[in-house]
């Protein structure tokens, strides 16, 4: 693998083998890192040879999603071993992603600095602009900075810069959709998220965000289908907790009490779950009449962010279906937020 990497000038190689055993088709794939020669990921697939076309689609979807997880993780791992002053744009970007998805104030600040560092070295780096937009969105979404309007404006400016560099990049389209979302324009948000999915149908994060946008617009069943697909595409996704929480929301708005509790609390057991995820779990418990458990989740949320409020939650999740918005608002206010 090291030799192939040198000859082709590539950092990663996806290889595989196909075997036919009677009516069964067996496929083995491996993702290798060429600099050290190690295997980062491997998987086996099996299916009926008569279903070869459906089987092939399933393998392609799985591989694309796994590459989106394992290559950035490996790039961040290698970047952490380097002095900060020696990071190139590619390394700084991937290390920034690693911090960005932790969803803490400090990590978001570090990510913002790393994306800026990447852009200083490569001003037309589309995904670094998109990453910077994501961090400004996160500042507004979680109230990390006092001037929310300035963060929203910054998120839009960076999203527009990413789109200028490459309007066909799915991540650029995703952050443009998130900009509309935080501006309370869910219709505009859906357009860009749907476009991101069209550009890459295996882009789990765009599929999930489209599902959440649908749910906030009162289309819980459609949102649920999107979120289920997103998790099938990327079961190790850093936003997995958000996918589970959105499933909780889809059940909450349809009065499925047990399912809303199950999914929202599963989300809280996953790494990366931020304060709004705890609020969803509290709302699910309250809606089911379990006031004691709801109070415990609200107390946990207040420990994470003493300023959390109904207004802050609805600013982050701008439900535009009036019935659903009234339901969520009523639940949160009854919890003392």
């Amino acid at each position: 693998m090291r030799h192939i990497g040198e000859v082709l000038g590539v950092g990663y190689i996806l290889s595989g083998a196909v075997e036919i055993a009677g009516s069964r088709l067996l496929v083995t794939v491996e993702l290798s890192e060429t600099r050290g020669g190690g295997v980062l990921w491997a998987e086996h697939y099996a299916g009926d040879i008569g279903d070869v076309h459906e089987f092939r689609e399933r393998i392609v979807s799985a591989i694309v999603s796994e590459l989106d997880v394992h290559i950035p993780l490996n790039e961040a791992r290698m970047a952490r071993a380097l002095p900060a002053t020696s990071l190139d744009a590619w390394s700084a970007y991937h290390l920034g992603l690693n911090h960005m998805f932790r969803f803490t104030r400090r990590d978001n600040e570090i990510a913002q600095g790393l994306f800026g560092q990447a852009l200083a070295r490569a001003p037309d780096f589309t995904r670094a602009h998109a990453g910077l937009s994501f961090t400004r969105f996160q500042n507004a979404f979680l109230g990390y900075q006092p001037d929310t309007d300035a963060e929203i404006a910054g998120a839009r400016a960076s999203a527009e810069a990413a789109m200028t560099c490459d309007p066909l990049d799915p991540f650029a389209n995703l952050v443009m959709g998130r900009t509309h979302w935080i501006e309370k324009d869910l219709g505009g948000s859906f357009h860009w998220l749907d476009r991101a999915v069209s550009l890459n149908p295996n882009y789990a994060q765009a599929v999930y965000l489209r599902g959440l946008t649908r749910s906030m617009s009162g289309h819980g069943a459609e949102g649920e289908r999107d979120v289920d697909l997103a998790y099938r595409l990327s079961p190790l996704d850093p936003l997995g907790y958000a996918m589970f929480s959105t499933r909780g929301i889809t059940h909450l708005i349809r009065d499925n009490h047990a399912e809303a509790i199950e999914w929202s609390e599963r989300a809280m057991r996953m790494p990366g779950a931020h304060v709004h995820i705890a609020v969803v779990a509290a709302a699910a418990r309250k809606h089911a009449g379990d006031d004691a458990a709801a109070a415990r989740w609200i107390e946990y949320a207040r420990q994470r962010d003493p300023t959390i409020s109904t207004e802050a939650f609805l600013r982050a999740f701008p439900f535009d279906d009036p019935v659903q918005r009234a339901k969520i608002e009523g639940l949160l206010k009854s919890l003392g937020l």
Side-chain angles (χ1 to χ4, degrees), residues 272-292:
H274 51 72
V275 64
H276 291 320
I277 307 301
V279 173
V280 173
R285 284 288 183 179
K286 180 66 177 179
H287 197 38
D290 189 344
D291 291 355

Side-chain angles (χ1 to χ4, degrees), residues 28-31 39-45 66 70:
T28 303
V29 294
E30 287 186 352
L31 175 66
V39 175
L40 298 179
W41 168 74
E43 189 58 88
H44 301 277
Y45 302 94
E66 294 291 348
H70 290 285

Side-chain angles (χ1 to χ4, degrees), residues 152-231:
I152 292 172
R156 171 168 284 281
S158 291
E160 289 175 347
M163 290 294 294
T164 298
C165 292
D166 185 357
L168 300 182
D169 183 271
F171 189 22
N173 281 266
L174 181 148
V175 295
M176 183 60 81
R178 278 206 140 185
T179 295
H180 282 271
W181 175 9
I182 204 68
E183 291 172 341
K184 302 180 181 179
D185 175 17
L186 290 186
S189 177
F190 181 83
H191 165 78
W192 291 105
L193 295 172
D194 195 44
R195 180 176 152 93
V197 175
S198 297
L199 290 166
N200 180 2
N202 301 303
Y203 189 10
Q205 292 182 8
V207 175
Y208 138 68
L209 285 168
R210 185 177 68 179
L212 178 53
T213 301
R214 280 175 160 157
S215 299
M216 291 190 293
S217 296
H219 304 289
E222 292 176 342
E224 185 175 305
R225 286 195 293 272
D226 266 347
V227 177
D228 284 349
L229 172 59
Y231 193 72

Side-chain angles (χ1 to χ4, degrees), residues 263-329:
W263 286 99
S264 61
E265 293 190 346
R266 283 178 68 184
M268 282 303 303
R269 292 193 289 270
M270 298 179 75
H274 51 72
V275 64
H276 291 320
I277 307 301
V279 173
V280 173
R285 284 288 183 179
K286 180 66 177 179
H287 197 38
D290 189 344
D291 291 355
R296 287 194 294 271
W297 281 124
I298 286 297
E299 179 59 26
Y300 176 83
R302 286 202 173 104
Q303 289 172 5
R304 295 280 299 272
D305 179 5
T307 68
I308 189 68
S309 65
T310 298
E311 291 71 23
F313 183 86
L314 291 176
R315 182 173 62 242
F317 295 93
F319 287 81
D320 65 0
D321 178 89
V323 175
Q324 305 304 343
R325 184 181 179 89
K327 175 188 286 187
I328 299 296
E329 185 174 14

Side-chain angles (χ1 to χ4, degrees), residues 22-41:
S23 64
R24 300 290 286 169
L25 190 64
L26 309 174
V27 178
T28 303
V29 294
E30 287 186 352
L31 175 66
S32 301
E33 190 268 311
T34 61
R35 283 153 286 196
V39 175
L40 298 179
W41 168 74

